[in-house]
Amino acid sequence: MRNVYLIDQFNVVHNEIHFILNETKQLSQLQPTGQVLADSDHEAILYLIDENDTYNYVSFGQSIWSQLAHMIVSDQKAFLKVEDGVLELTDFTEELKALLYNIEGNSNYGEAFVQAIENTFADFFGK
């Protein structure tokens, strides 16, 4: 079973956003994958991380989406803050943008999820 790490806090440091992982993890345990997925059932955006040769999810629920939208339009780099440092979430912004374009107007994700994405990321979509 995959672990899901919920993100509900962040810090902005210069032009970087550090999402805070409230789990006891070491940098040496985690590797970024550069993959972003949608979890429309739980209304979350997921970033995959490789943790000791197992894929797990960093989950960004609706409570943090406005910060993700700001990250995109401000061209901020995304990092995951863990116990002993920060890990760059490689390709996060690019993959998130591609996912958002795929979700926009796509009823396969569910009407409520699509509407929430379109509303929160309206500036990104140019609406």
Side-chain angles (χ1 to χ4, degrees), residues 97-123:
K97 288 177 182 179
L99 178 65
L100 293 173
Y101 282 129
N102 190 49
I103 293 170
E104 184 183 26
N106 187 340
S107 61
N108 290 331
Y109 288 95
E111 195 169 316
F113 184 71
V114 171
Q115 188 65 48
I117 289 286
E118 289 175 347
N119 289 341
T120 304
F121 293 91
D123 287 345

Side-chain angles (χ1 to χ4, degrees), residues 25-92:
K25 298 292 173 190
Q26 302 291 316
L27 280 176
S28 60
Q29 296 173 297
L30 307 173
Q31 294 295 320
T33 66
Q35 296 179 5
V36 178
L37 305 170
D39 180 356
S40 57
D41 291 338
H42 297 100
E43 296 191 340
I45 294 168
L46 307 174
Y47 184 91
L48 272 72
I49 55 171
D50 184 356
E51 181 181 353
N52 299 322
D53 297 325
T54 302
Y55 287 110
N56 292 307
Y57 303 120
V58 177
S59 178
F60 301 90
Q62 280 195 35
S63 65
I64 207 95
W65 287 3
S66 61
Q67 189 58 42
L68 293 178
H70 181 74
M71 176 190 76
I72 291 171
V73 297
S74 300
D75 201 28
Q76 293 175 312
K77 289 190 176 221
F79 291 82
L80 186 64
K81 185 173 180 357
V82 295
E83 186 175 13
D84 62 344
V86 293
L87 173 74
E88 184 174 359
L89 299 177
T90 56
D91 299 326
F92 184 60

